[in-house]
Amino acid sequence: MSEIAQLLSKRVQGDVLFDSFSRGRYATDASFYQMMPLGVLSPKSEDDVLAALDIARERGLSILPRGGGTSQCGQTVNEALVLDNTQYFNEILELDVENRRCVVRPGIVLDELNRALKPHGLWFPVDVSTASRATIGGMAGNNSCGGKSIRYGMMRDNVISIEALLADGSKHRFGTGKADQNAIYAALSKDMLALGARESAEIAARFPNVMRRVGGYNIDALVPEAAPQNLAHLLVGSEGTLAYSTAIELKLWPLMAGKVMGVCHFPTFYKAMDAAQHLVKLKPQGVELVDDTMIALGRDIPMFRSTIDTVVTGQPAALLLVEFIEEDASRYPEKLRQLEEMMGDLGFSWTGEGEAWGGVTSVTDVGLQNQIAEFRKSGLNIMMSMKTDGKPVSFVEDCAVELPDLAEYTAGLTDIFGKHGTKGTWYAHASVGCLHVRPVLNLKLDKDVKTMRAIAEECFDLVARYKGSHSGEHGDGLVRSEFHEKMFGPRMTGSFAEVKRRFDPKGLFNPGKIVNPPKMDDRSLFRYGPEYKAAQMDTELDWSAWTGGGGGFQGAVEMCNNNGACRKLKGGVMCPSYRVTRKEKDLTRGRANALRLAISGQLGPDAFSSDDMAEAMKLCVSCKGCKRECPTGVDMARMKIEVLSARAKKNGISLHDRLVAYMPRYAVWAAKMPFLPNLRDQLPGLAALSEKIAGFTAKRALPKWSARPFRDFEVARKTAPQAVLFVDSFNRYFEPDNLRAAVRVLRAAGVEVDLVRATDGGRPLCCGRTFLSAGLVEEARVEARRLVAALKPYAEKQIPIVGLEPSCLLTLRDEIPALLPGAETALIAEHARMFEEFIADQKDNPAFRLDLKSPGPKVLLHGHCHQKAMNVMPAIEQTLALLPDTSIEKVETSCCGMAGAFGYGHDTYDVSMKMAELDLLPAVRKASKDVLVVADGTSCRHQIGDNTDRKPIHVARLLEMALKDQEE
């Protein structure tokens, strides 16, 4: 394949990737399949796509267009040349606000499109749950639906036309009537309309009479009764098997102002399903199901726990989320009243017992509505968060039936699962009779694969009995294409094959999907095939919560289901490097795939500690965003430590890493003569020399060593302290006034505070984080043991352990328990509190009183990544709310880009700056001069201070400024 790569590189501008790691990252999607592609091209233009088509025709290769790679049926995997449209091929080509239409490239992400449309009062309403990463091209290829299809229709209802390249390289505009007058298109159109006329009776007889039908090709768009016939709708839902879309014209809708939601509680799953047919009579824009399994799993996920606790009453077996959106917002109270009346008419009340229990929780707060919507949209990932080898498996999950049949159908399907010794997890679109159900199976076991096959056969028979659709939303791919003949009959599948031959006679585009498919249970196509086995390996951290090799490391890696939540470009933290590069390798998903393939031997010997793996991890800034925001709990920051450790043992570490790692140890000596290390940024040429010798970029100054570092004797020992302060190395040696401010604030509040000191009387204590960043796990463990020994007496007395630097204090709650698992570190983790958390904890303590004045009219708050990952931000906001006459604005940012030493690396500086320029630095520059900029993270403050004219401060300094007895 290197020859193909060379041919492409000569003819295209986009990225050409043919190495094993890159191919492996594109071998999977959100299905259970894996097919290694021939190579990957990220095209920058139509010319790049044409060049790829030319080479593919000449060499007999296949082409696979790919968007976000979130397909659940194997549509976006193949032994083909993958064209990833997401990195470059993603522009808005035309926006016609007056006529409510736009034209876009296939790689644009739905959320990005809607962000661009919002200022114009418009949106594209096919709101799939994967909107943060689903591309318009992928949605068109899949005929996506979303939760509001009852009002807005499906993708085919909202696509006006498509410009596409056929296999011969000719370009055409597919649409209504004579949209394209050239001879090739005219002949193709004539043949397709003739097929539609010929098969109209068969189509009427065999196509399911349900809204949610995406199986096969949309040849119902070709029948005479479908006038005006739109050939673009034949491409919609074709899964990239007919043509290559280069521009898609969309119908846009006006944005509605606000909405309301009623969370309907039901005592049994059957009752909820039976109620759906009645609730839709109120004309909601959506009715979404959440079952008790999803509720229970959601409570175990930090980012969803508070939402569930707020809206869920008692122990319902199922919830139906009924959402109303109206042009006239004054109608909302009446809509909620009608919903409550209907639930009462159906026999449910909060005071009822048994099957009569239930009711409605009204949700009018926009923030809470958004939290509920995010929870529901994360249904797939939440279901996949089970840490066992068995996982909910997608293969019969989105069958659709008419609403009056929904309760009996789901009961029948539950019986099928029970017959085969498993149960299903349920969620999704009750309003249109399309429920996502996944039986729990372990596809590493041959017996469970056989069970999957048997369930599929019986389920599709059941669907046929109800005249439903076996493919209601997620498409055909490798999972369902095989069953088209069972569901449509041989004549219809023959028509599908005829369409494929007419469009793509040589089978260039994504072969094996919709027509001529392999068996759905062909294990040679599985992610976990018959030969799959992870190698035995020794790991450094505690992975015992998971299963598999490496003490559970294998199971932790395999938690990634490839659904791609890490591909979001706004909101939350993860994945900051991807937001800059748009490269699959810089995703949690991309890294997890590389790890899985490496530990299972699919990338060659020693892949785990290879240079390619180092490259995969290079731009991971260990922000821990995935720890909180990945609903399946893939903790890449912790996994990266294992890779760094393996590489350090194999290769040693660089001078750059050594200087970073050992800083807490040589800091004692540097602090005695701080002027010497500070010369680096004072004498001309030394910064450039440090870049050449030690890899520290000359483009920014290093932290300045304080001439007056913090000394332990500054705080007298206390016999009965109410809090103990953990003095981290960064604040001790570089910004000691933060520590002094914290002590002063706590004392002003009447808190007796002590310092934690080394029990051996030696050098100051350290959390070991700098050693972990270089893979020196044993050295980190040495530091952790010293710190644990010193903190244990305080924790045993239930004395809060307070810290200022997020990356250091929160190590006590995260990495140290993984380094030294056991009761001691668990106890210390329980009592470890950020400075603001400690203050927020005192809200009901009458002895704690801070007498504060306003430090300024407004505070702009930037949260450290680890504070966000460990859910500390609410405590910071509660603490800042104590400031009188001061408004607080939180900057919605991902990582600031510094990430400890990351922003100081000569080879990572540029990426660091691009991260900062996404949201943080523009927000700071925009703030008026009287706004105080606050950031707890040492590296965050340096990033802001280095690149703006503002001097950010720690919250401790802010509170010190606000003390009423503070001298002017």
Side-chain angles (χ1 to χ4, degrees), residues 588-840:
T588 297
R589 178 177 78 176
R591 296 175 182 119
N593 274 322
L595 289 171
R596 177 179 54 80
L597 292 167
I599 64 176
S600 59
Q602 298 179 70
L603 296 177
D606 299 321
F608 186 76
S609 58
S610 67
D611 290 346
D612 285 328
M613 185 63 77
E615 183 64 23
M617 295 291 173
K618 181 177 179 178
L619 298 187
C620 172
V621 293
S622 298
C623 66
K624 299 189 188 181
C626 51
K627 181 181 179 68
R628 176 174 175 81
E629 295 170 27
C630 172
T632 60
V634 177
D635 188 347
M636 191 52 58
R638 185 181 291 191
M639 293 174 185
K640 182 180 178 179
I641 292 171
E642 297 288 358
V643 173
L644 293 173
S645 175
R647 284 186 57 78
K649 290 176 181 177
K650 178 181 176 182
N651 306 318
I653 64 172
S654 67
L655 175 60
H656 175 91
D657 288 343
R658 189 169 297 277
L659 289 170
V660 171
Y662 283 90
M663 185 277 291
R665 293 191 185 169
Y666 66 72
V668 177
W669 307 104
K672 296 179 185 298
M673 297 178 289
F675 63 89
L676 283 178
N678 289 341
L679 287 176
R680 185 262 191 190
D681 295 309
Q682 296 171 0
L683 294 182
L686 284 187
L689 184 63
S690 78
E691 178 173 302
K692 186 174 182 179
I693 295 175
F696 292 102
T697 180
K699 295 179 181 178
R700 74 160 95 231
L702 295 179
K704 187 176 180 180
W705 293 81
S706 173
R708 188 170 160 258
F710 189 87
R711 309 292 187 184
D712 289 354
F713 62 74
E714 295 183 43
V715 176
R717 283 188 177 276
K718 304 292 180 182
T719 55
Q722 296 163 288
V724 60
L725 186 65
F726 168 40
V727 179
D728 64 275
S729 300
F730 301 103
N731 281 302
R732 178 187 291 274
Y733 295 113
F734 299 106
E735 297 181 79
D737 285 342
N738 293 336
L739 294 162
R740 296 179 180 116
V743 171
R744 186 159 189 271
V745 168
L746 293 175
R747 284 176 172 169
V751 177
E752 291 288 335
V753 61
D754 198 356
L755 298 186
V756 59
R757 297 166 171 87
T759 56
D760 58 11
R763 56 184 165 77
L765 294 165
C766 166
C767 67
R769 169 161 297 284
T770 57
F771 288 113
L772 291 176
S773 71
L776 300 179
V777 177
E778 274 309 310
E779 297 291 353
R781 200 171 272 121
V782 168
E783 300 300 328
R785 288 193 182 102
R786 294 181 72 237
L787 186 55
V788 167
L791 290 174
K792 179 183 174 184
Y794 296 100
E796 288 176 337
K797 295 176 183 176
Q798 299 188 347
I799 297 172
I801 301 160
V802 180
L804 299 191
E805 174 56 39
S807 62
C808 296
L809 186 282
L810 295 175
T811 300
L812 293 170
R813 301 213 305 235
D814 191 356
E815 288 87 353
I816 287 181
L819 277 169
L820 302 170
E824 289 183 356
T825 52
L827 180 65
I828 290 170
E830 182 182 343
H831 289 87
R833 312 297 288 160
M834 287 297 303
F835 176 69
E836 297 93 334
E837 287 182 300
F838 175 78
I839 293 175

Side-chain angles (χ1 to χ4, degrees), residues 104 156 170 228 335 402 408 577 705 744 829 842 875 877 912 945:
V104 300
R156 68 180 283 182
S170 60
K335 282 292 185 182
E402 294 189 76
E408 292 300 327
S577 52
W705 293 81
R744 186 159 189 271
Q842 310 305 312
E877 294 176 73
S912 165

Side-chain angles (χ1 to χ4, degrees), residues 362-391:
S362 297
V363 181
T364 57
D365 179 75
V366 175
L368 185 56
Q369 289 171 5
N370 292 337
Q371 291 168 25
I372 295 170
E374 187 63 29
F375 172 62
R376 215 299 298 158
K377 286 185 175 185
S378 298
L380 165 64
N381 282 335
I382 291 170
M383 294 302 187
M384 296 300 289
S385 68
M386 297 178 179
K387 293 180 179 179
T388 57
D389 286 335
K391 295 285 194 300

Side-chain angles (χ1 to χ4, degrees), residues 96-138:
D96 183 347
V97 174
E98 183 178 354
N99 293 303
R100 296 179 185 169
R101 52 173 288 279
C102 68
V103 181
V104 300
R105 292 294 192 200
I108 191 169
V109 171
L110 176 59
D111 274 356
E112 290 293 288
L113 172 61
N114 277 329
R115 271 190 282 273
L117 295 175
K118 186 175 181 179
H120 303 284
L122 299 172
W123 76 312
F124 187 68
V126 185
D127 67 328
V128 294
S129 62
T130 52
S132 63
R133 61 270 196 201
T135 63
I136 294 298

Side-chain angles (χ1 to χ4, degrees), residues 47-351:
D47 288 341
D48 281 2
V49 178
L50 280 168
L53 289 177
D54 289 345
I55 293 170
R57 279 196 311 274
E58 294 167 4
R59 298 303 177 109
L61 309 178
S62 299
I63 291 286
L64 170 60
R66 179 162 158 143
T70 61
S71 302
Q72 295 174 34
C73 302
Q75 295 97 312
T76 55
V77 295
N78 218 321
E79 294 172 354
L81 175 61
V82 173
L83 271 64
D84 179 356
N85 290 315
T86 62
Q87 190 174 356
Y88 305 116
F89 209 44
N90 54 23
E91 309 101 312
I92 297 176
L93 298 175
E94 184 181 344
L95 174 58
D96 183 347
V97 174
E98 183 178 354
N99 293 303
R100 296 179 185 169
R101 52 173 288 279
C102 68
V103 181
V104 300
R105 292 294 192 200
I108 191 169
V109 171
L110 176 59
D111 274 356
E112 290 293 288
L113 172 61
N114 277 329
R115 271 190 282 273
L117 295 175
K118 186 175 181 179
H120 303 284
L122 299 172
W123 76 312
F124 187 68
V126 185
D127 67 328
V128 294
S129 62
T130 52
S132 63
R133 61 270 196 201
T135 63
I136 294 298
M139 291 169 62
N142 195 62
N143 194 10
S144 294
C145 306
K148 297 177 178 61
S149 60
I150 190 172
R151 174 183 285 248
Y152 295 105
M154 299 161 61
M155 199 70 187
R156 68 180 283 182
D157 302 309
N158 292 280
V159 170
I160 300 169
S161 70
I162 296 177
E163 287 187 3
L165 300 170
L166 294 178
D168 62 5
S170 60
K171 179 180 175 181
H172 309 279
R173 180 179 178 270
F174 292 81
T176 56
K178 297 180 180 180
D180 191 319
Q181 294 293 335
N182 69 70
I184 295 175
Y185 181 84
L188 180 61
S189 175
K190 178 182 177 182
D191 289 347
M192 290 298 97
L193 294 178
L195 183 149
R198 186 191 77 208
E199 300 298 325
S200 61
E202 181 74 1
I203 291 168
R206 298 306 301 249
F207 269 38
N209 187 30
V210 293
M211 179 182 181
R212 290 299 189 88
R213 181 204 62 74
V214 300
Y217 292 123
N218 290 326
I219 57 177
D220 58 327
L222 305 174
V223 300
E225 297 80 6
Q229 295 140 320
N230 190 331
L231 261 65
H233 294 171
L234 190 57
L235 298 185
V236 173
S238 65
E239 301 185 357
T241 62
L242 300 182
Y244 198 107
S245 300
T246 59
I248 304 169
E249 184 181 10
L250 303 173
K251 175 184 177 182
L252 304 178
W253 293 72
L255 275 170
M256 295 287 191
K259 61 185 177 183
V260 291
M261 179 184 295
V263 181
C264 299
H265 294 57
F266 294 91
T268 69
F269 185 81
Y270 184 94
K271 289 284 188 180
M273 295 301 91
D274 187 57
Q277 61 184 308
H278 304 291
L279 298 181
V280 296
K281 294 175 184 177
L282 298 176
K283 296 186 177 179
Q285 75 163 354
V287 180
E288 298 290 290
L289 166 69
V290 173
D291 78 349
D292 54 358
T293 301
M294 185 169 164
I295 293 170
L297 290 171
R299 279 198 169 105
D300 290 336
I301 298 171
M303 69 183 296
F304 297 128
R305 188 177 300 128
S306 63
T307 300
I308 294 170
D309 291 342
T310 301
V311 301
V312 178
T313 299
Q315 300 294 324
L319 305 173
L320 289 180
L321 312 178
V322 184
E323 189 174 87
F324 298 99
I325 187 164
E326 303 287 338
E327 292 185 15
D328 181 2
S330 66
R331 297 190 60 196
Y332 288 145
E334 174 64 13
K335 282 292 185 182
L336 290 173
R337 187 189 63 76
Q338 291 174 357
L339 180 63
E340 291 177 358
E341 285 183 356
M342 178 166 283
M343 286 289 285
D345 292 343
L346 293 174
F348 303 108
S349 72
W350 292 121
T351 57

